[in-house]
């Protein structure tokens, strides 16, 4: 449970970075691309003593991890395009509701972990409703009138987030069979993101759409360290719960929403609508229903 809580808090730190970037004139695209080498360095420093990092292209998981890293960059690009053309509301909902994909895959395909009872399934349903209510914002007038023609973008965001999280869960169950494999496999994923990000940035430089600024490298550090650690602790949480993504992902998603909403209210003065507050209250109930066995064990 500690790994899961740590992953939630670290993920909120990422959101805080993105929230503060415009205030300091940070180029978000560059910060994201440059954050992956920082992620790699952070993971390399966390490797157990005597262990080294190498790429074995004969292993199936190597190609899966590299492809997953590319998926991180693609998902980011889709999220940006969807936000601009279809609005923040549609993109946020697509992102958070994507948890239904790894949850379904975990329950129907992977198996393992705990056996869900009626209260757990009720919690899953409430979690989906809670995510929708707590992230809902009134449609923005600034969204292009052509937004309706870009409905495929939120759908693509939904599918990509769901696919990447499902792949992480699958790799955790089938390939991370020992604790000392977590960092090397994670580093391989990060390497895939570095390659994809470098290609992206090189193309934008050639097109004259980017120029280097020192503040973007500083932002990459503040983003990269919690980024790797949030991902690393999420994998450790999945391992701790036997690869049970049906439990981990709902608690993780709504945990991030709850902590982020509290942080935004306290430090940035953001207002919550009645629907948002209802969603947050429902999220607390959903967490309790999904994890009542684990909570009972903690209190025992």
């Amino acid at each position: 449970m500690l790994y899961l809580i740590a992953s939630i808090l670290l993920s909120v730190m990422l959101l805080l970075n993105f929230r503060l970037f415009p205030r300091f004139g940070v180029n978000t695209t560059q910060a994201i691309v440059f954050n992956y080498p920082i992620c790699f360095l952070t993971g390399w420093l966390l490797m157990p003593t005597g262990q080294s990092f190498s790429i074995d292209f004969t292993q199936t998981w190597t190609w899966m991890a590299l492809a997953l890293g590319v998926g991180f960059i693609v998902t980011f690009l889709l999220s940006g395009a969807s936000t601009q053309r279809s609005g923040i509301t549609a993109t946020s909902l697509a992102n958070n509701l994507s948890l239904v994909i790894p949850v379904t895959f975990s329950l129907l395909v992977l198996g393992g972990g705990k056996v869900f009872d009626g209260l757990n399934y009720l919690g899953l349903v409430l979690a989906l409703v809670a995510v929708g209510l707590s992230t809902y914002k009134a449609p923005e007038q600034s969204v292009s009138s052509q937004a309706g023609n870009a409905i495929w973008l939120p759908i693509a965001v939904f599918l990509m987030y769901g696919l990447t999280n499902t792949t992480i869960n699958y790799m955790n169950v089938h390939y991370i069979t020992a604790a000392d494999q977590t960092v090397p496999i994670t580093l391989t994923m990060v390497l895939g993101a570095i390659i994809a990000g470098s290609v992206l940035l090189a193309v934008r430089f050639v097109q004259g759409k980017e120029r280097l600024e020192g503040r973007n490298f500083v932002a990459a550090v503040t983003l990269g360290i919690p980024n790797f650690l949030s991902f690393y602790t999420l994998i450790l949480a999945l391992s701790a719960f036997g690869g049970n993504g049906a439990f981990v992902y709902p608690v993780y998603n709504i945990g991030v929403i709850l902590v982020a909403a509290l942080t935004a209210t306290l430090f940035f003065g953001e207002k919550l609508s009645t629907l948002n507050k209802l969603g947050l209250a429902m999220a607390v109930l959903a967490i309790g229903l999904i994890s009542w066995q684990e909570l009972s064990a903690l209190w025992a």
Side-chain angles (χ1 to χ4, degrees):
M1 187 66 76
L2 289 178
Y3 289 133
L4 185 52
I5 293 173
S7 185
I8 290 171
L9 295 177
L10 288 162
S11 296
V12 173
M13 287 183 64
L14 299 181
L15 298 178
L16 287 176
N17 270 274
F18 288 125
R19 182 67 168 77
L20 292 171
F21 281 174
R23 182 177 300 180
F24 294 98
V26 172
N27 181 310
T28 302
T29 300
Q30 288 188 27
I32 288 178
V33 171
F34 293 142
N35 106 94
Y36 285 111
I38 301 299
C39 286
F40 189 91
L41 179 60
T42 302
W44 183 75
L45 292 174
L46 286 174
M47 291 187 69
T49 303
Q51 190 176 24
S52 60
F53 175 73
S54 61
I55 297 289
D56 184 356
F57 291 106
T58 65
Q59 298 294 323
T60 301
W61 67 261
T62 298
W63 296 101
M64 292 182 64
L66 289 172
L68 188 56
V70 176
F72 294 157
I73 296 292
V74 172
T75 302
F76 160 69
L77 293 174
L78 287 171
S79 296
S82 179
T83 299
Q84 294 170 2
R85 297 187 59 189
S86 299
I88 294 174
T89 298
T91 305
S92 177
L93 289 175
N95 177 2
N96 289 290
L97 289 176
S98 68
L99 69 88
V100 72
I101 297 177
V103 165
T104 302
F105 189 83
S106 180
L107 286 173
L108 301 182
V109 179
L110 294 179
K114 71 178 185 181
V115 177
F116 269 46
D117 62 13
L119 290 178
N120 298 137
Y121 282 110
L122 176 60
L124 286 178
V125 174
L126 290 180
L128 292 175
V129 178
V131 166
L133 292 176
S134 59
T135 57
Y136 176 78
K137 301 293 180 185
E140 299 179 11
Q141 298 300 319
S142 59
V143 177
S144 169
S145 60
Q146 295 182 345
N149 297 326
I151 187 63
W152 66 270
L153 282 169
I155 295 174
V157 170
F158 172 84
L159 293 175
M160 282 303 300
Y161 269 109
L163 178 61
T164 53
N165 284 330
T166 299
T167 304
I168 291 169
N169 198 17
Y170 178 86
M171 291 184 65
N172 180 77
V173 170
H174 291 282
Y175 296 106
I176 305 179
T177 56
D180 62 355
Q181 292 177 292
T182 303
V183 173
I185 291 179
T186 305
L187 286 179
T188 305
M189 297 177 191
V190 173
L191 186 59
I194 291 174
I195 295 171
S198 299
V199 172
L200 165 66
L201 208 56
V203 171
R204 291 181 64 85
F205 274 124
V206 171
Q207 294 175 336
K209 296 181 179 179
E210 300 284 346
R211 66 184 182 89
L212 293 178
E213 295 178 322
R215 65 171 65 94
N216 299 327
F217 292 100
V218 176
V221 174
T222 65
L223 185 66
I225 294 175
N227 189 11
F228 180 86
L229 293 177
S230 66
F231 187 69
Y232 178 58
T233 50
L234 179 60
I235 291 179
L236 291 177
L238 283 167
S239 297
F241 289 101
N244 187 14
F247 166 74
V248 172
Y249 282 117
V251 175
Y252 168 78
N253 275 49
I254 56 184
V256 169
I257 290 172
L258 286 171
V259 177
L262 178 62
T263 302
T265 301
L266 292 178
F267 296 101
F268 298 103
E270 294 187 7
K271 304 298 182 181
L272 298 175
S273 68
T274 301
L275 283 179
N276 296 153
K277 293 176 182 177
L278 177 61
L280 294 177
M282 191 175 293
V284 174
L285 176 59
I287 289 178
L289 291 173
I290 292 170
S291 59
W292 74 265
Q293 295 97 330
E294 288 76 15
L295 294 175
S296 297
L298 291 176
W299 294 333

